């Protein structure tokens, strides 16, 4: 019997959702990778780049380069932190909010596609187990 690795399935699901969302996002000037940054900033307006890097478990330099892309392309704005002159905070622009709504719709449609045919009990079990794994990984 061939060895089964969770990482294999996680990687496959990540590629599948990126492919599913990719074309629609590209038509709107954004990549699937940038989508996750916009989702975070829209859910946490006023966050700092350091918070974003910590919560997404990403390298701070990579996060700063990505934020520059989002700002340069009009998806987010960077504002001076009100109490820490060295820091900045991030807010979505109207364009970013539109991508946020589109992304949520795309992710919802992907969920419907991949969960089709599963019973409610199976879905509950799946999400319970995924939450347990996610909690263990932190």
């Amino acid at each position: 019997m061939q060895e089964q690795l969770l990482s294999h399935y996680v990687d496959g699901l990540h590629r599948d959702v990126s492919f599913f969302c990719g074309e629609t996002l590209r038509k709107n000037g954004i990549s699937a990778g940038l989508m996750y940054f916009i989702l975070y900033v829209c859910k946490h307006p006023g966050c700092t780049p350091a918070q974003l890097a910590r919560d997404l478990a990403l390298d701070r330099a990579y996060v700063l380069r990505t934020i520059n892309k989002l700002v340069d392309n009009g998806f987010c704005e960077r504002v001076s932190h009100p109490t820490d002159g060295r820091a900045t905070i991030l807010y979505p622009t109207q364009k970013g909010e539109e991508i946020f709504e589109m992304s949520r719709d795309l992710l919802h449609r992907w969920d419907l596609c991949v969960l089709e045919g599963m019973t409610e009990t199976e879905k509950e079990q799946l999400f319970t187990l995924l939450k347990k794994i996610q909690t263990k990984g932190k």
Side-chain angles (χ1 to χ4, degrees), residues 44-88:
H44 304 91
C47 66
T48 66
Q51 289 169 320
L52 194 154
R54 182 194 65 230
D55 291 350
L56 296 182
L58 296 170
D59 175 73
R60 190 170 169 153
Y62 171 71
V63 167
L64 292 174
R65 287 191 306 273
T66 304
I67 289 169
N68 286 338
K69 287 181 191 177
L70 293 173
V71 170
D72 291 346
N73 290 301
F75 296 108
C76 292
E77 64 179 335
R78 190 178 308 148
V79 178
S80 295
H81 195 284
T83 59
D84 182 352
R86 300 170 295 153
T88 59

